[in-house]
Amino acid sequence: MIRKAIMTDMPAVLCIFEAARVYMRETGNPTQWGMNNPSQETLEADIRRGELYVICGEDQVPHAAFALVAGEDPTYGVIEEGDWTSDESYMTIHRVGSDGTMKGVFSQCVEFCKQQSDNIRADTHENNKTMQHLLTKHGFVRCGIVHVADGTPRLAYQYLKEG
């Protein structure tokens, strides 16, 4: 089950992202989120804007989380070594994390997002091989390179519904 996160989910959400950071470090991606990204302040702001979602198991406890943001993302204003497949209105998936206890959470995330928009963007670190694989598996096309607020590069992906 996917639902909007609420402030009382914060302890579970913080555990989700701590587990995700550990996984990232163990799989060769220690720098994308470092030791404390996304911060509690960022996640709380996502909740206040209604952009953070949680994926709950049969126990109704959040085991994964992601942000789904409508509208233009300033990070995507300039793309290098490629181009977006469409400049039409889009939504962006950010901050996907899982505590590792449920299988298929990214599939659930993407299916939910595809119900919200036919045009979805995402980005990931060059060392995040898991996310690169999952994005491609779910119909996203690598479009080029963007730079996040701190200037570091990210691989940019886009899903555009056919038809």
Side-chain angles (χ1 to χ4, degrees), residues 70-82:
E72 288 191 25
D73 187 318
T75 299
Y76 300 153
V78 175
I79 187 167
E80 301 170 348
E81 299 179 30

Side-chain angles (χ1 to χ4, degrees), residues 25-160:
R25 287 191 297 272
E26 290 175 350
T27 57
N29 185 17
T31 60
Q32 182 175 353
W33 284 352
M35 298 302 286
N36 61 0
N37 280 326
S39 68
Q40 182 170 341
E41 293 78 17
T42 296
L43 297 167
E44 288 173 350
D46 287 344
I47 291 172
R48 283 192 298 276
R49 287 190 303 270
E51 297 173 344
L52 191 69
Y53 293 83
V54 291
I55 301 175
C56 299
E58 291 180 11
D59 58 6
Q60 303 305 311
V61 174
H63 293 283
F66 63 93
L68 180 61
V69 182
E72 288 191 25
D73 187 318
T75 299
Y76 300 153
V78 175
I79 187 167
E80 301 170 348
E81 299 179 30
D83 206 359
W84 298 110
T85 58
S86 169
D87 288 323
E88 297 298 315
S89 178
Y90 62 91
M91 296 184 89
T92 305
I93 302 172
H94 283 301
R95 294 181 275 291
V96 179
S98 169
D99 66 9
T101 62
M102 286 178 57
K103 299 291 183 201
V105 294
F106 190 75
S107 295
Q108 290 181 54
C109 167
V110 168
E111 289 311 309
F112 175 85
C113 295
K114 287 178 179 180
Q115 292 172 12
Q116 313 307 309
S117 178
D118 294 339
N119 188 357
I120 306 168
R121 294 181 182 181
D123 64 81
T124 194
H125 195 279
E126 67 181 345
N127 292 335
N128 194 335
K129 303 301 183 192
T130 299
M131 185 59 73
Q132 292 172 46
H133 167 76
L134 289 170
L135 287 166
T136 302
K137 176 182 174 183
H138 290 281
F140 285 74
V141 175
R142 183 171 164 190
C143 294
I145 297 173
V146 295
H147 290 84
V148 294
D150 70 4
T152 59
R154 296 290 186 269
L155 305 178
Y157 289 81
Q158 187 168 24
Y159 165 82
L160 189 61

